[in-house]
Amino acid sequence: MALEKYPYDPLLHSAGTVGRSRGCSWHGLKACAEEPTSSYLTPIGRMAACPRAERQIEDLYGSPS
């Protein structure tokens, strides 16, 4: 599965998730105070990502398609 990247949109994330509540789902609410800037579809599911998480996700899964 290729990595897909989108501008952050809370509506891309399921109700009740960190991504829907405008948090970084890669790091979690307790570990990250930054606002998400991107939404990714990764092999482990959809992730809301702050700028630091964007680099980590792309390092792990490669460049988005």
Side-chain angles (χ1 to χ4, degrees):
M1 169 186 178
L3 184 67
E4 296 178 23
K5 180 179 180 181
Y6 306 91
Y8 174 71
D9 181 350
L11 297 178
L12 290 175
H13 302 272
S14 299
T17 63
V18 174
R20 176 59 77 83
S21 63
R22 300 183 182 276
C24 174
S25 49
W26 186 255
H27 296 121
L29 291 175
K30 292 182 181 180
C32 187
E34 294 184 70
E35 294 264 331
T37 51
S38 297
S39 294
Y40 285 88
L41 183 56
T42 73
I44 61 169
R46 192 163 302 274
M47 297 282 171
C50 69
R52 185 169 46 109
E54 287 186 33
R55 291 186 299 277
Q56 294 169 337
I57 290 169
E58 291 180 18
D59 284 349
L60 183 63
Y61 295 112
S63 297
S65 56

